Amino acid sequence: MDEKLIIEKIKEFRALRDMSLDKLAELTGFTKGYLSRIENSTKAPPIATLSRISQALGVDIVQFFSEDFGSAEPRDFSIIKKNERLEVGGRGTPYGYVYEALAYRMTGKNMEPYIVTIGFNRTANFQHEGEEFFHLLEGKLELFLAGKSYFLEGGDSVYLKGNIPHSGRSLGKNKAKMLIVICS
């Protein structure tokens, strides 16, 4: 996934709505300066940030990631086969997480489910509105949550408020893979 495409989509959707950075800041709760840095960057912001921006712009988050979803029609259900998953956050992201969208054909969602593969380095704490549910599918993970460290193994789950600082890193020789559902 080309991160520059994501940035261009943000600008495009904002321009189509004739929305100022001030208005987008008001709707997202981010500062105008932060949004300007995003639009002038070559790196996409974290998924939770993109989710807030997409809600403020009135578009589905998946529309940032591909040319194919600009005219997605409303649906009552979505089936995504294993080989149809859409990678929406690549190895080039500054956080080292790879996100695979599991419901990208569904429009007007209240939650965003992903399979996330976690890198070995802890580089940032995430905080955002809404809630998250994590279920570790494989590997081992050190979860940093509210200033404490927790060790998780395959089969373990966590439910948290998004405003609690959180991040994680894989332990052992294999990357941790988890199901994450983000609700706004």
Side-chain angles (χ1 to χ4, degrees), residues 5-173:
L5 174 65
I6 296 169
I7 302 302
E8 291 306 313
K9 289 281 196 169
I10 293 170
K11 292 178 190 177
E12 176 186 334
F13 288 127
R14 191 169 66 77
L16 285 171
R17 285 148 183 79
D18 197 27
M19 185 182 292
S20 68
L21 277 177
D22 285 320
K23 183 64 176 176
L24 186 58
E26 177 186 322
L27 293 171
T28 61
F30 296 130
T31 66
K32 178 181 175 181
Y34 177 64
L35 293 170
S36 178
R37 284 192 303 278
I38 289 172
E39 287 193 1
N40 291 306
S41 178
T42 58
K43 296 198 180 285
I47 291 287
T49 300
L50 285 174
S51 179
R52 283 173 65 183
I53 293 171
S54 72
Q55 288 176 354
L57 292 171
V59 299
D60 198 278
I61 190 172
V62 78
Q63 291 180 291
F64 291 139
F65 301 105
S66 174
E67 296 291 336
D68 300 336
F69 300 100
S71 60
E73 294 183 22
R75 297 174 180 246
D76 291 330
F77 65 91
S78 171
I79 297 174
I80 306 296
K81 300 293 231 169
K82 181 179 180 177
N83 64 340
E84 296 174 330
R85 291 180 189 161
L86 178 66
E87 188 173 301
V88 295
R91 288 162 186 71
T93 62
Y95 307 105
Y97 293 8
V98 177
Y99 292 79
E100 294 175 83
L102 300 178
Y104 61 87
R105 291 188 186 119
M106 186 75 179
T107 57
K109 299 184 289 290
N110 293 318
M111 62 181 166
E112 290 289 341
Y114 301 98
I115 296 290
V116 179
T117 303
I118 308 290
F120 293 99
N121 295 323
R122 175 185 179 222
T123 58
N125 271 322
F126 298 101
Q127 281 184 271
H128 51 82
E129 298 206 7
E131 300 176 340
E132 288 189 34
F133 172 77
F134 303 175
H135 179 76
L136 193 59
L137 299 168
E138 57 188 58
K140 295 180 181 181
L141 178 76
E142 182 175 14
L143 175 67
F144 301 96
L145 185 59
K148 294 183 180 179
S149 177
Y150 301 89
F151 296 94
L152 305 176
E153 296 180 338
D156 294 344
S157 299
V158 177
Y159 194 106
L160 61 98
K161 301 283 185 180
N163 63 350
I164 297 172
H166 58 281
S167 67
R169 68 180 180 107
S170 290
L171 299 173
K173 60 184 177 180

